[in-house]
Amino acid sequence: MYRQRRLLAVLLSGAALFSTVEATRAQQVATVSIDIPAGTLTRALNALAAQAGLQIAFDASVTQGVSTASISGNLTVEAALSRLLVGTGISYRYSGTSMVTLSKAGRADATSGEQTALEPIILTGSRYYGDGDPSKSVIDQASMARIQAASIPELIKHTPGVSMGGGVRLQGQTISIRGFSRQTDTRVLLDGAPKNFEKYDQGTIFVEPELLKRVEIDKGATSVRYGNGGFGGTIRMESKDAADMLKPGQTWGFYGKTAYQTANRQFLETGALYGRSDFGTPVTYDGILSLTWRKGDDMRIGGGERYLFSDEKLASGMGKFGAEFDGHEIKTSLLYGESNNWGPVAAIRGQLEVNASDIKKYGYQEAVRRRLAWRELKDLTTTFDYKYTGDSALWNPHFMASYSSTRQHATRPGDQSPSASVGGLENDAAYSDIHLELENTSDLTLGGMLHSINYGLQYNAHKRDISMFDIANSTKPDYNYGHYAPYFMPEGTQDTASAFIRDTINLTDSLTLTPGLRFDWVRSEGVPNAAPRYNNPAAGHDFSAVDHHGFTPAVSLAWTATPNIRLFADWAYAMRAPNIDELYSNQSALSSAPATSRELQAERNNTINLGVDFNFDDVITSGDTLSTRVAVFNNHVTNPVARRFGSRNLSGMGADGVDWYWNVPAYYTTGLEIQAHYDTDWMFADLGFSMMTGTRHGAVNDIRGPRTYVNDLAPTTADLTFGIKMPDHDLSFGWTGTFVKAQDKTPIRQFMGSTYARPESPGYAVHGIFLDWTPKQGFMKDTELHAAIENIFDKKYEPYLNDGITAMPGRNFKISLSRRF
């Protein structure tokens, strides 16, 4: 055993020596991702402490009345402090390894022992929730490593107010935030590039989590920085940089990871090569190349049953390169992933069932195969990003350009003649976006108050290319011999031009007001269907262009009431223009609502968020911390778009020219979210809690009827974690529990509300245990081991948003081992 350990040590040490080249300088301090808005120096130092994990000590009189410009980028702590303090006459020094003390000429510093007029203030990076809005949640790289998620919906599903739908098949998973479950209700950005995929029952986002360093969830639609949709919120994903991976003193390095989980016998392998150097020039270059391979078998759900054809095989890669020079920063990236697999025609479904008559007629294997589709999915994102941070507080421009596309090709096997409603024998759907942004931030003083004005222009060109081979109608001219776009998935383009401005005003050292205004102009145009049956002007089929436009006003207020309590309030009147499917879907002249829906009005959301942060030290024992966030929200959505169906809705309408989609009466949603984190030297605990309710005028199939529940409200949910820390061994372990209340607030039992309503779901509790080992020194330094057993009691459960058609994984042992060389 001793010889084996010694041999292993020699091999790993040799790999480390082979893969690591020391910097030409004697020592290089690691950089940290810093993003600090302009404002008072006290608030800026608070943000730096949270982002860099520091303690900053100073006398309150040192920073009183001092303001600073915004800074951002991958900076050393020394560089960030120097830029914040330039021109202030304030200096700093280290006291130990993580304490920074500020002082000013002519004043005693906070730790000198001399008497001062005010008590010293210590800003500490131990504040768990940092300096953000209570409606914002962040999942960092360390959290991702612990969660070991196989998809973005799985990664974020335990965030209060966020739910995952669709079940165990990756190509069928969806995201819901605060009761908003349509794809357009959740805005998804990857390195700033919009990701839009809205193919019916085929999932939403297919980015490999292993390529990311951070996921930020802005719940609600109160920021004018983003527009046209996203009523539930915005998910911003950031891919890894070389600076996130390099160890102190490295110019280049290598990262490797292997992982396995038992529920679907899934293997994962990841490798990354990265570097950062100036090569003796004034320009600093960095780059990273990363590849990930993931393969799993059919998923085992609670109780032991395996879901047929829920297996997966994915390959993903990323290349990202950047350069920095004298305040200029350029980054380019390319992320690509693809997966190919057999699966049910609707990816959002449960166990695959085969009729006995089909088995008798075709045999079991062929009977199964005839219910499947072969899908090839390819996802591409490319970005170009430029920032300049100079000496002028008025000129800090940022330009970004991106192209993203998601393409899915599906075919059915054998001699079948599947109908157009299930995609025909073969179909292809490609959704692409070209996105441009130009913005600037100007910091200036007006009326004795510091203003940080952020303003910019945005342009997005969205395109949908859809085709199908409807073999059942391949001999009929009215169907263009089977070659046309599905009538419920039309082709088209949607161009959006936008302008926005928001002004962060520091009314006092503790009170910040941010008014904002946004304008969106949206031009949509359909592509006439190749099948005359769905391109008949006499039936109301009109694919010509239509415009929607409008202003989105917003205002935010943040008040630091005490050093331990911050309060927030946000309001906005957000807008969502109808998408291509809603505007140009149609039916034949023989139906009761055949026409396209060019007369649709834009939806509006009068939304309010209120929140408070509490941060206290020494609550129960000396040195402990308690951080709590509470947020409440209210949405009033007017002119919501819905399918026109139901005899009561169609009565008196006639059969000619009735639009397939229309604007229905308003609905309301309200909710409460709580997050809490308690931490000591030896233990920690977390709580996530969410509850929501909402009603609408009438039902979607009877808008003049009594009020009904909103269909997509997630049930009351609590996520709990309790952990033990062993700092001397760099080890932590603990328990997790998810407790979900039964959901009976669904319109399925209400008057005329049962059509297209989600079924009620029972409550459930799911338990797990975990262990994390991240050694900081010794032979295993820079190695991470994460292990967990999820659903330890093998509970079979079906979340509400899974519509009672698919269960979740059963007992699942996960383990991952990674190392930076």
Side-chain angles (χ1 to χ4, degrees):
M1 180 63 71
Y2 173 77
R3 290 185 176 181
Q4 291 176 341
R5 290 179 178 175
R6 188 172 182 180
L7 177 59
L8 179 61
V10 170
L11 289 174
L12 290 176
S13 299
L17 289 172
F18 179 79
S19 302
T20 304
V21 177
E22 293 298 320
T24 55
R25 295 182 292 271
Q27 183 178 6
Q28 176 182 337
V29 179
T31 61
V32 181
S33 179
I34 301 294
D35 186 8
I36 301 174
T40 64
L41 181 56
T42 301
R43 287 177 58 84
L45 292 170
N46 200 341
L48 178 61
Q51 295 174 23
L54 291 173
Q55 286 187 326
I56 306 177
F58 58 94
D59 189 279
S61 61
V62 171
T63 61
Q64 186 174 7
V66 180
S67 300
T68 184
S70 60
I71 63 170
S72 64
N74 292 315
L75 304 170
T76 63
V77 172
E78 288 82 355
L81 279 168
S82 298
R83 289 170 64 173
L84 287 177
L85 301 178
V86 64
T88 65
I90 301 172
S91 59
Y92 70 90
R93 63 180 174 84
Y94 274 95
S95 303
T97 59
S98 60
M99 169 74 82
V100 175
T101 303
L102 305 184
S103 61
K104 197 169 186 177
R107 298 179 185 266
D109 66 47
T111 60
S112 66
E114 301 180 26
Q115 290 186 350
T116 59
L118 298 173
E119 290 294 323
I121 295 176
I122 297 180
L123 304 176
T124 175
S126 65
R127 300 302 194 207
Y128 187 75
Y129 293 119
D131 198 38
D133 189 300
S135 291
K136 179 182 296 184
S137 297
V138 174
I139 302 174
D140 59 17
Q141 198 165 341
S143 299
M144 290 188 220
R146 290 194 298 268
I147 296 171
Q148 302 185 64
S151 67
I152 300 302
E154 182 184 343
L155 176 67
I156 67 177
K157 68 180 182 180
H158 292 294
T159 304
V162 180
S163 302
M164 184 186 89
V168 298
R169 293 181 176 87
L170 293 186
Q171 287 198 19
Q173 293 177 352
T174 60
I175 299 171
S176 176
I177 303 179
R178 292 182 170 179
F180 293 98
S181 297
R182 298 172 302 183
Q183 287 93 329
T184 50
D185 288 332
T186 299
R187 183 183 298 105
V188 180
L189 305 174
L190 174 58
D191 289 337
K195 304 295 293 180
N196 292 311
F197 189 74
E198 299 181 52
K199 187 178 180 182
Y200 182 70
D201 269 357
Q202 300 299 323
T204 54
I205 177 70
F206 310 100
V207 176
E208 169 59 59
E210 284 296 318
L211 303 179
L212 306 179
K213 67 175 179 181
R214 176 184 172 95
V215 175
E216 191 170 283
I217 307 164
D218 281 338
K219 289 171 281 187
T222 58
S223 174
V224 298
R225 181 65 177 75
Y226 310 103
N228 190 29
F231 284 178
T234 300
I235 298 174
R236 294 197 299 270
M237 303 177 293
E238 296 180 37
S239 59
K240 293 176 180 176
D241 291 294
D244 305 311
M245 307 296 292
L246 287 167
K247 298 185 291 185
Q250 278 188 312
T251 54
W252 71 279
F254 173 76
Y255 169 83
K257 177 178 179 179
T258 185
Y260 179 75
Q261 67 176 30
T262 59
N264 60 345
R265 298 187 283 262
Q266 181 192 92
F267 286 93
L268 176 137
E269 304 293 338
T270 294
L273 180 67
Y274 41 85
R276 180 180 175 90
S277 177
D278 58 16
F279 300 105
T281 71
V283 183
T284 300
Y285 302 92
D286 67 84
I288 181 171
L289 293 172
S290 180
L291 292 174
T292 297
W293 174 81
R294 187 188 296 271
K295 184 178 186 299
D297 294 335
D298 291 341
M299 183 66 72
R300 178 189 178 277
I301 64 170
E305 181 184 7
R306 287 198 176 272
Y307 269 26
L308 298 178
F309 296 97
S310 58
D311 59 309
E312 59 195 46
K313 182 173 65 177
L314 303 93
S316 303
M318 175 183 72
K320 193 171 185 180
F321 304 94
E324 298 179 24
F325 170 71
D326 195 24
H328 301 273
E329 181 180 354
I330 296 174
K331 289 184 180 180
T332 61
S333 66
L334 186 150
L335 293 89
Y336 177 79
E338 67 174 54
S339 64
N340 307 313
N341 70 309
W342 287 100
V345 175
I348 302 177
R349 67 155 295 156
Q351 181 65 284
L352 185 70
E353 298 177 353
V354 184
N355 296 332
S357 59
D358 286 348
I359 297 176
K360 183 177 180 180
K361 183 177 181 180
Y362 301 107
Y364 181 77
Q365 292 296 332
E366 181 63 17
V368 169
R369 198 168 69 99
R370 294 174 70 85
R371 291 183 173 270
L372 302 176
W374 172 255
R375 293 190 186 87
E376 301 172 354
L377 188 139
K378 299 178 180 179
D379 188 83
L380 172 69
T381 306
T382 61
T383 65
F384 173 85
D385 193 278
Y386 167 77
K387 293 180 181 178
Y388 175 71
T389 305
D391 297 330
S392 173
L394 300 177
W395 183 239
N396 297 281
H398 175 207
F399 172 75
M400 193 274 285
S402 69
Y403 172 79
S404 63
S405 71
T406 302
R407 176 182 293 271
Q408 186 192 77
H409 181 76
T411 58
R412 301 288 297 277
D415 58 350
Q416 303 178 73
S417 298
S419 69
S421 62
V422 294
L425 186 67
E426 183 177 4
N427 64 80
D428 190 89
Y431 295 69
S432 63
D433 287 88
I434 297 174
H435 190 77
L436 303 172
E437 289 186 10
L438 176 62
E439 65 176 314
N440 184 50
T441 301
S442 299
D443 302 323
L444 65 159
T445 301
L446 294 173
M449 292 179 290
L450 183 66
H451 295 250
S452 181
I453 307 174
N454 177 232
Y455 48 95
L457 301 172
Q458 298 170 338
Y459 174 76
N460 192 82
H462 175 67
K463 185 178 182 182
R464 302 186 181 196
D465 292 310
I466 313 291
S467 63
M468 174 182 63
F469 178 46
D470 176 14
I471 192 173
N473 293 294
S474 59
T475 62
K476 300 177 181 179
D478 198 34
Y479 289 88
N480 193 39
Y481 303 99
H483 294 279
Y484 60 99
Y487 58 88
F488 55 89
M489 255 186 359
E491 297 182 280
T493 60
Q494 189 167 73
D495 298 332
T496 305
S498 310
F500 69 91
I501 183 170
R502 52 183 176 173
D503 183 10
T504 301
I505 308 169
N506 290 278
L507 302 177
T508 69
D509 285 353
S510 60
L511 186 62
T512 302
L513 177 70
T514 306
L517 185 66
R518 180 184 182 88
F519 178 77
D520 288 296
W521 176 83
V522 184
R523 183 175 180 84
S524 307
E525 186 170 7
V527 174
N529 200 300
R533 183 182 180 88
Y534 304 110
N535 185 11
N536 180 4
H541 300 160
D542 185 351
F543 298 90
S544 61
V546 60
D547 297 341
H548 294 88
H549 60 272
F551 287 94
T552 296
V555 64
S556 299
L557 189 68
W559 177 39
T560 305
T562 73
N564 305 102
I565 302 175
R566 294 178 298 147
L567 294 96
F568 300 82
D570 304 300
W571 168 84
Y573 188 56
M575 164 187 159
R576 186 191 80 95
N579 63 25
I580 297 299
D581 286 354
E582 294 163 337
L583 288 166
Y584 298 109
S585 292
N586 65 78
Q587 300 183 94
S588 74
L590 301 178
S591 67
S592 56
T596 54
S597 310
R598 293 179 62 260
E599 302 302 319
L600 286 174
Q601 300 179 45
E603 294 182 349
R604 284 290 191 170
N605 185 6
N606 194 337
T607 180
I608 299 174
N609 294 329
L610 301 174
V612 59
D613 271 1
F614 301 96
N615 290 283
F616 295 99
D617 299 319
D618 303 325
V619 179
I620 300 176
T621 64
S622 176
D624 69 358
T625 61
L626 174 64
S627 300
T628 304
R629 315 189 101 175
V630 180
V632 296
F633 63 87
N634 183 79
N635 298 295
H636 177 202
V637 180
T638 53
N639 294 326
V641 176
R643 284 268 305 276
R644 188 195 294 261
F645 62 91
S647 58
R648 293 175 180 267
N649 285 338
L650 292 168
S651 61
M653 292 289 184
D656 297 328
V658 178
D659 297 351
W660 200 20
Y661 282 85
W662 65 338
N663 295 103
V664 299
Y667 65 86
Y668 306 79
T669 61
T670 303
L672 167 69
E673 298 165 359
I674 301 175
Q675 290 178 273
H677 177 78
Y678 178 75
D679 205 338
T680 71
D681 291 337
W682 63 273
M683 62 84 66
F684 61 95
D686 287 281
L687 164 68
F689 175 84
S690 66
M691 62 181 296
M692 60 187 74
T693 187
T695 59
R696 68 186 316 131
H697 295 285
V700 291
N701 60 330
D702 181 13
I703 64 171
R704 302 169 187 84
R707 299 178 71 91
T708 59
Y709 288 117
V710 173
N711 194 41
D712 297 329
L713 297 172
T716 299
T717 302
D719 287 285
L720 300 176
T721 300
F722 179 81
I724 301 296
K725 296 190 290 186
M726 302 176 66
D728 293 341
H729 301 281
D730 302 313
L731 186 70
S732 65
F733 58 91
W735 160 88
T736 63
T738 298
F739 303 88
V740 180
K741 183 181 178 182
Q743 180 59 295
D744 55 5
K745 294 181 178 179
T746 166
I748 196 165
R749 294 182 183 270
Q750 295 178 307
F751 177 77
M752 290 301 297
S754 60
T755 305
Y756 286 98
R758 299 186 188 274
E760 296 174 349
S761 64
Y764 57 87
V766 182
H767 303 266
I769 56 176
F770 64 89
L771 181 145
D772 301 304
W773 183 44
T774 55
K776 303 291 192 300
Q777 57 187 354
F779 169 66
M780 296 301 289
K781 180 183 178 182
D782 300 315
T783 300
E784 292 189 17
L785 173 68
H786 301 282
I789 302 178
E790 298 176 345
N791 194 1
I792 194 169
F793 298 115
D794 205 27
K795 175 79 172 180
K796 183 177 180 179
Y797 64 101
E798 298 176 348
Y800 173 66
L801 295 180
N802 285 12
D803 290 330
I805 60 174
T806 176
M808 298 301 288
R811 185 183 299 113
N812 190 14
F813 174 70
K814 291 183 173 182
I815 186 168
S816 70
L817 180 66
S818 64
R819 184 175 176 94
R820 288 188 299 164
F821 296 97

